[in-house]
Structures are given as structure tokens and as C-alpha cells.
Amino acid sequence: YEIGSGLVGSEMCIRDRSLLYYIFLLKSNIVITSKNTKRKGKKDMILDLFRLNGKVAVVTGANTGLGQGFCVAFAEAGATVIGVARRSCAETAAKVEAVGGTFFEVLTDLSAPDASKTVANACKKLTGRVDILVNNAGIIHREDAVNVTEANWDLVTNLNEKLVFFLSQAMTNEFFIPQGGGKIINIASMLSFQGGIRVPSYTASKSAVMGLTKALANEWASLNINVNAIAPGYMATNNTTALRQDSDRNDAILCRIPAGRWGTSDDLMGAAVFLASDASSYVNGFTLAVDGGWLAR
Ligand code: NAP
């Protein structure tokens, strides 16, 4: 059967081509049961896009808090996890192994010079590949702006901001470009959007994280590298112990959260797996707030 005789493919409108295709199928006794056979062949196909089987995820600040939660989430989704920390990740390793995952530890001080190269080299030796990087390690320094020293400023911004750039660069050069793609998830903050109180270096660094997320996404999206960020709201971790122990601040914060409670690392798991997976392959340069509604106020 001659399809499109006398007509060049590009000259036919979609309807013409569909009609000819349909006639062809009728003549050939081919039966199509669904227009979307490719997608509907497997009932759980969309959920499969979220799976991380065969991937390697690197999480900085993996020994506690939100970083520990990301490690467990990735392991549950099927990834091998490399946790980077300056202290033992034994507790995280046990949690990852309890859900059937594999965990490797890289012990290093991320404030040290060349920390990004140290981490990339260690990953090369441990797994030989990396598919996902979570720039999670971070510190906060609470002080009136008039008293902040240059040394304190550098401590916060070097880890929260400079390392985010250079570790992303190292992983991209070492793994993501040669492998043909990768996922970077930066951990931003409500203070990527707002000013905060008595934490100017933290606000500066987390605002930079949101900017860097966009800047790197623009350069690397065409390389199949997705750079995005998660902005957690107020989460119950070591980072916020001082706030939660100050009953006035604690009450003021709780009153302002529409969800009416502090978040936990479990609340971030869905967003992290989404941004680490193929389900988010057309999401680039976005900072996703997971904040119980804080920014909506
Ligand atoms: P956390 O419990 O204090 O954890 C921070 C992690 O970073 C720890 O593993 C810490 O290790 C590690 N770290 C700090 N300095 C390091 C260094 N020089 N070398 C290696 N590791 C270092 O705080 P978290 O709440 O889980 O914070 C995780 C990320 O989320 C941070 O970027 C934070 O800014 C961000 N965040 C948190 C909240 C919140 O409400 N908790 C909200 C928005 C954003 P040690 O245990 O050894 O200190």
C-alpha cells in the first residue's frame, strides 16, 4: 500500500498522515488496542521514573539531620549512597542498610582547601561513577550584624556557598560530563528568599545558592545535567536547636507556619527523590520550597 503517494511527508498535515496510517493499519489487519500503548503497557511506568536503581548518590553532611534523611531516601529508591562528613556516619550507614541499601563513607573536613577534589577522587575509587550530588552540608552563625567578624563570615560562606560551586564543578567535570548527565540538588533555605534575623552570612550564602542553582542550570541543562535546589522551611535538626530552645522564637516561628509544626527530614524525601530522578528531567534551575506553607504567608 502506497502511503502518501504524490505527497512529501512534510507537506501532509497531521490529520492526513493519521488517516493514511489508519487505512494502512486496516488493510494490514493490525489491531491497535490503545493509542498510548507505549505508556500504558506497564501500569506503574510513571512510578518507575522515580526509581534510582543503579545510580550513585553523593550527599554532603551525611552524618545527621537532613543529610541523613536524603541518604535513606535515595537508598529506599534504589541508589548506592556515598555520604561525606567530617564525623563518623555510622548511624546513617545503619539506617541505609536497614532499608537494604549500600552506604560508603568519605570522611573529610569540607572547609579544607581542595575538599571538592578530595571528594571527587574518593568517589572515583569507591564507585567509579556518580549520578546525583546533594550539596547539603551547611553551617549557620547567629550574631548581630554589627559584631560579625570576617573570619566568621568566611567560615559560613566558604562552606555554604563556595564549596557548593566547586564541588558541583568537580562532579560535573569528573563524572557528569563523561557519563552524559547528572543531577545536582543544592540545599537552599527560606533565607534564599527572605532576610532573616541575626544571620547575615547565612542569608548571603543561601541567597547565593539559589542564584548559583540558576546560573549552573543555564550552562549545564544542555549537557543533560539538572541543577535544582530544595529550600527547606523550619526543620527540627541540630541547625535549629538554638531556635527551638528559645521559647519566644519557637512560638513565633510555629505561629507563622501554616502547617503548624516544624518539618522533619522525612518531609524532604519526596522532593529529593523527584529532583534526583528521571521524573524531573525537564526541571532546571528551580528552587522548590518544602516549608509547610511558610513562604505562602
Ligand atoms: P545539621 O544537622 O547541623 O547538619 C549539617 C551537616 O553539615 C552536618 O552533617 C555537619 O557535620 C555538616 N558539616 C558542617 N560543617 C562541615 C564541614 N566543615 N565538613 C563536613 N561537614 C560539615 O543541619 P541540617 O538542618 O541538617 O542542615 C542541612 C542543610 O540544610 C544545611 O545546608 C542547612 O543550611 C540547610 N537548611 C536547614 C534548615 C533547618 O531548618 N534545619 C532549613 C533550611 C536549610 P557536623 O555534624 O560534624 O557538624
Side-chain angles (χ1 to χ4, degrees), residues 61-67 84-87 108-111 136-139 159-160 187-190 202 206 232-240 262:
N63 56 298
T64 185
L66 306 183
V84 185
R86 59 184 170 182
R87 293 191 285 125
T108 190
D109 181 351
L110 289 167
S111 292
N136 166 76
I139 48 174
L159 182 72
N160 292 12
I187 303 307
S189 163
M190 294 296 94
Y202 186 81
K206 291 298 181 178
Y234 284 78
M235 320 297 284
T237 66
N238 299 340
N239 177 292
T240 53
W262 286 78

Side-chain angles (χ1 to χ4, degrees), residues 199-222:
V199 284
S201 55
Y202 186 81
T203 305
S205 65
K206 291 298 181 178
S207 300
V209 164
M210 190 158 84
L212 268 178
T213 300
K214 292 185 263 193
L216 297 181
N218 289 340
E219 283 203 40
W220 295 344
S222 63

